[in-house]
């Protein structure tokens, strides 16, 4: 997957350090706001790769690709979790 972020200079340095160190991060996305019609997509172990600077209407964004990895303590098939609330 991939995503773009509007980061401050300090946040950009932090994220670039994460990429260089191959540190894994969790990623979560919530879809919906009403109970019973809400989903959470959760990736417990994602590795950020290929940072790129992009421009969106004059605003500089940093884009990252990511890969979902199995959790270190897991037995596989645990890269993505879908939760319905």
């Amino acid at each position: 997957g991939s995503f773009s972020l509007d980061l401050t200079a300090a946040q950009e340095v932090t994220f670039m350090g994460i990429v260089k160190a191959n540190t894994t991060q969790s990623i979560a996305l919530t879809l919906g706001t009403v109970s019973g019609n809400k989903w959470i997509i959760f990736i417990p172990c994602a590795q950020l790769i290929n940072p790129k600077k992009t421009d969106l209407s004059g605003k500089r964004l940093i884009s990252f690709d990511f890969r979902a990895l199995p959790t270190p303590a897991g037995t596989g098939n645990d890269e993505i979790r879908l939760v319905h609330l």
Side-chain angles (χ1 to χ4, degrees):
S2 64
F3 57 89
S4 299
L5 300 172
D6 180 12
L7 301 173
T8 65
Q11 291 169 327
E12 183 178 336
V13 168
T14 300
F15 271 86
M16 291 303 181
I18 290 167
V19 171
K20 288 181 181 178
N22 290 320
T23 304
T24 58
Q25 301 287 307
S26 62
I27 299 173
L29 175 67
T30 303
L31 303 169
T33 57
V34 179
S35 183
N37 196 19
K38 187 188 230 182
W39 286 89
I40 297 174
I41 301 170
F42 181 63
I43 302 169
C45 192
Q47 182 182 34
L48 303 180
I49 55 174
N50 302 326
K52 302 178 264 315
K53 295 180 181 175
T54 59
D55 183 271
L56 178 65
S57 301
K59 185 162 219 136
R60 191 181 87 173
L61 302 175
I62 306 297
S63 298
F64 297 92
D65 294 336
F66 71 89
R67 50 182 149 210
L69 304 171
T71 57
T75 57
N77 252 358
D78 58 358
E79 292 89 353
I80 298 176
R81 297 178 191 161
L82 299 175
V83 181
H84 182 251
L85 303 171

